Amino acid sequence: MSKPKKTASKPKKALLLPPPPPPPPQGNPFTYYVPKSATSLTVATKPTGSAAYKKPLGFIHANFKTTSVAPFGAKTTLAGHPVINKQDVKRAALEGGYGPQSMWTSRLAMSAAEAAELQRFLFSRLESVICCVQKDINDAWTILPFLRHVEASDKNLLSFTLGGIGTFLTAQNWLAAGGQQLEFCLHKSIYTKALIKFDSAKNKSPDYLIQSKKKHWHVFESKGGRSDDRGQRILEGLEQLDYQFSVGWKHSRPKPATTSVCVHTSVDANRRLEIMAVDPPENDVIEKDRPRQSFALIEGVCKLLLILKTIDQFRALTGIADTFAESDQEWTFEKTNRFGELVVGMPTRYLRYEYGVRARVAIYLAADEAASDYHSKGNRQSFWRLLREKMESLDRALPPHLQNDNAEREMGSSFIVNDIFRIFFDEGNRSFRERCASRLQMTEYWRPLWVTEVDKRTVLTAEHTGVFTSGGMYIRHDGNPTPAPGDDESV
C-alpha cells in the first residue's frame, strides 16, 4: 500500500523589519507664522495680578498659522531648513549679536583707542558664545552639551546673543522670500541716537530697524531662550510690537513699516537652534485701535555711526594702529584670528577721513548729551557750561597724533559751540538734533565715504566671495581662497 504524498509546505515569509525613520532635514528649522484671519488676536492679555501669560503656545496656535510664503513682495517660498554657512553666522554676530545701549557717547566716539578696546571686549564675549555651537551631521548649528553646566548669567548672555544672531539670519530669509535684499540693519543703540525726537521713558524701541535695497523698512524684535519658555517670550515681543510703526528718513517722510516681526531663537543644550518668527501684519480691524509710533531718522547720523562702528570693529579685529599711514590703495585688507580666521577689508577712505567722522559724531552726541542734562531753559548759562564741559572732554579724548591736525580744525573751534548754543535756543520747525546734524554737515560728509554697490561688486570680482556688513566692512571666512602673498589686494 503506497503512502500518501506529503504536501509541500509553504516557505516561511522572511521577517520584514520596518524601514528606519527618515533622517532629519539638513540645516536649522525656521518656522514662520502669520494670523489665521483678519479678526485673529495678535496680542494676549495677562491674567490679573500675573506676570506671565496663560497657555501662551495655545494662544499662538489658536490665532496664528504657519506660512511658507512671505506676506509681502514677490511671495516666494520661505526656506524652512536653510543651511547656514560660517561666514553668514559671523556676519550676523558682528551685525546683530551684541549692541550695548551705552555704546555711543561723545567721549567714546572721539577716542579711537578706547572704542577699539571696548570692541575687543565685546568680540571676546561674542567668541565665547560662538564656541558653544557647532554643526551636527545634518549641517545644523547645535548647542554643545556642556551648556547645561554653566551659570545662569552665562546662559542669559548666550540666549541674548544667539537671539540677535537668529533675528538677523531670519531677516535675511524673510526679505529674500519677499523678493528683497537686506541693505542695512540699524540696532536700537544706533537708530535711537538719530531719531528726530526720542523719549526713552515714553517710546518703545524695537531691537532692529532694517531697510531693504528696495527702500522698504521692516521692524524686528529679538528674543532668545529655552524652548519651553518660547511662548512667553514671543507674546512679550508681540506686545512690544503692538504699534502702527512708520519708519523712514526725515527728508522723505516715514512710511508704514512693511512688516513687524518677533523672532525667537531656542537655545537648549545638545539641541539644534530652532527659530520661530511671528508677523502680525497690519489690517483695518486691528490697526484702528493700535497706538502710532513714528521713527523719523536723520540719515547722516545713522550713516556716520555705521561708518564709525565699522572703523572700530576693523581696528579691534586686526589690531591696526590708530595712526594712519597714507596709502594709494582703495581698500585695506587684513587677516584676523578672531572668530576662527577671517579676512576683513575696509575702504581706505574710512581711515583717511576718520577724524572728520569722529569729530562730527562726537560733537553731535556732546550737544545731545548737554541738551539731555539741561533741565531749565530759564538759565542759558547752565546749558553753555554743560556744552563747554562736553567739548573740553572731547579735546582731552582726541588722539595725540590728531591734536595738531589742521585738516578739520574748524570742528573743534569755539565758534561751533556758539552755533550750537544759538541753535538750542532758536525756535524753528526742525528739531535740535536735526539742526545740529545740519550744522555739522553730516549728510555731506557720509555720501562720498559710503560703500556703494559698485564698490562691492569690484571687491567681489577680485576676492571671488565674501559678504559685507551694513557699514561696508568686507568679511570672508579664511577657509575660502586667499590671494597669494605679494598679490595686490587693492581694488
Side-chain angles (χ1 to χ4, degrees):
M1 184 174 179
S2 62
K3 294 181 179 180
K5 294 182 179 179
K6 291 183 179 181
T7 56
S9 60
K10 294 181 180 180
K12 294 182 178 180
K13 291 184 178 179
L15 182 62
L16 297 178
L17 295 175
Q26 297 285 300
N28 289 85
F30 283 65
T31 310
Y32 304 89
Y33 287 81
V34 293
K36 287 184 175 179
S37 70
T39 57
S40 295
L41 298 176
T42 57
V43 178
T45 303
K46 294 177 182 176
T48 304
S50 175
Y53 298 97
K54 186 177 181 180
K55 297 181 179 179
L57 285 178
F59 175 88
I60 293 171
H61 292 144
N63 291 281
F64 292 87
K65 63 182 179 181
T66 59
T67 182
S68 60
V69 295
F72 63 96
K75 298 185 179 180
T76 57
T77 303
L78 286 156
H81 282 81
V83 174
I84 305 162
N85 63 40
K86 293 180 180 179
Q87 192 168 260
D88 287 333
V89 168
K90 290 168 184 178
R91 179 196 175 186
L94 294 177
E95 293 263 28
Y98 192 73
Q101 284 291 81
S102 59
M103 180 73 186
W104 299 110
T105 64
S106 56
R107 182 177 175 84
L108 187 64
M110 188 60 88
S111 175
E114 186 176 346
E117 288 169 357
L118 174 59
Q119 281 292 350
R120 281 192 285 271
F121 166 73
L122 297 178
F123 284 162
S124 296
R125 296 183 73 172
L126 271 178
E127 287 178 311
S128 72
V129 169
I130 291 177
C131 78
C132 295
V133 296
Q134 68 177 17
K135 282 202 170 188
D136 64 14
I137 59 173
N138 293 301
D139 234 357
W141 291 98
T142 302
I143 300 292
L144 292 171
F146 72 79
L147 178 67
R148 60 173 63 99
H149 303 295
V150 304
E151 294 285 347
S153 58
D154 292 319
K155 290 179 181 177
N156 290 337
L157 172 64
L158 189 72
S159 296
F160 174 78
T161 306
L162 289 175
I165 292 173
T167 299
F168 185 84
L169 294 170
T170 300
Q172 288 182 302
N173 296 339
W174 187 250
L175 268 63
Q180 302 181 16
Q181 287 182 291
L182 192 150
E183 175 75 12
F184 56 80
C185 172
L186 298 176
H187 185 270
K188 63 183 177 181
S189 62
I190 288 181
Y191 77 74
T192 53
K193 299 296 184 183
L195 288 171
I196 294 297
K197 190 175 182 180
F198 178 70
D199 185 343
S200 59
K202 297 179 181 179
N203 298 93
K204 300 294 183 182
S205 304
D207 289 317
Y208 303 100
L209 301 181
I210 290 177
Q211 189 183 53
S212 73
K213 290 185 178 180
K214 292 185 177 180
K215 311 305 179 189
H216 297 169
W217 287 92
H218 300 258
V219 178
F220 281 84
E221 182 66 28
S222 175
K223 301 295 179 184
R226 303 187 319 272
S227 57
D228 60 5
D229 197 34
R230 177 166 52 190
Q232 288 285 342
R233 302 305 311 281
I234 288 175
L235 291 191
E236 290 172 7
L238 292 178
E239 185 175 351
Q240 291 172 269
L241 294 175
D242 191 30
Y243 287 85
Q244 297 181 64
F245 291 111
S246 296
V247 189
W249 306 126
K250 176 62 173 63
H251 59 76
S252 59
R253 288 193 177 185
K255 297 179 180 178
T258 302
T259 58
S260 302
V261 186
C262 177
V263 181
H264 183 273
T265 303
S266 295
V267 180
D268 300 287
N270 206 29
R271 291 180 61 180
R272 296 177 301 174
L273 293 174
E274 296 187 11
I275 291 83
M276 181 175 175
V278 182
D279 170 41
E282 299 179 2
N283 62 67
D284 295 337
V285 176
I286 296 174
E287 290 303 305
K288 64 181 181 181
D289 297 323
R290 277 183 173 165
R292 297 181 182 274
Q293 179 73 61
S294 179
F295 297 111
L297 303 167
I298 306 170
E299 186 174 13
V301 177
C302 285
K303 296 295 179 63
L304 287 185
L305 282 170
L306 284 174
I307 290 172
L308 190 53
K309 175 184 176 181
T310 300
I311 294 171
D312 291 340
Q313 287 188 335
F314 187 80
R315 290 197 186 285
L317 285 169
T318 64
I320 190 171
D322 60 3
T323 55
F324 171 64
E326 191 64 32
S327 170
D328 58 359
Q329 294 182 335
E330 293 183 29
W331 282 69
T332 299
F333 292 93
E334 297 285 341
K335 285 188 176 182
T336 175
N337 292 327
R338 291 278 192 181
F339 303 105
E341 303 288 339
L342 292 175
V343 173
V344 293
M346 188 174 67
T348 304
R349 58 183 179 269
Y350 278 16
L351 296 172
R352 188 175 295 121
Y353 293 98
E354 178 181 359
Y355 173 64
V357 174
R358 288 195 181 280
R360 282 167 171 80
V361 169
I363 294 171
Y364 170 86
L365 294 176
D368 194 53
E369 291 160 5
S372 298
D373 293 341
Y374 177 74
H375 300 295
S376 172
K377 287 195 176 183
N379 181 357
R380 295 191 170 206
Q381 291 303 314
S382 173
F383 180 74
W384 176 267
R385 185 178 65 256
L386 286 168
L387 188 59
R388 290 295 307 179
E389 288 173 355
K390 293 286 183 183
M391 295 298 290
E392 289 170 3
S393 176
L394 296 187
D395 288 339
R396 292 192 294 272
L398 191 64
H401 71 281
L402 291 177
Q403 288 179 356
N404 297 319
D405 192 294
N406 293 322
E408 294 282 342
R409 185 174 56 188
E410 76 277 4
M411 298 307 296
S413 299
S414 60
F415 68 78
I416 201 165
V417 178
N418 295 333
D419 285 352
I420 292 174
F421 180 80
R422 175 182 53 79
I423 289 169
F424 184 70
F425 289 101
D426 277 353
E427 297 293 334
N429 295 326
R430 295 188 302 170
S431 71
F432 176 59
R433 282 181 165 185
E434 193 177 3
R435 284 179 286 170
C436 280
S438 177
R439 169 60 185 86
L440 296 168
Q441 298 181 307
M442 298 180 87
T443 295
E444 293 83 353
Y445 211 79
W446 74 262
R447 288 190 186 280
L449 298 181
W450 194 247
V451 174
T452 66
E453 291 301 310
V454 173
D455 292 328
K456 293 177 183 179
R457 286 195 295 270
T458 305
V459 171
L460 291 177
T461 298
E463 298 293 319
H464 307 299
T465 185
V467 292
F468 293 86
T469 66
S470 296
M473 182 165 64
Y474 168 80
I475 302 171
R476 171 164 52 79
H477 188 260
D478 207 20
N480 296 322
T482 304
D487 281 3
D488 183 10
E489 292 184 330
S490 65
V491 178

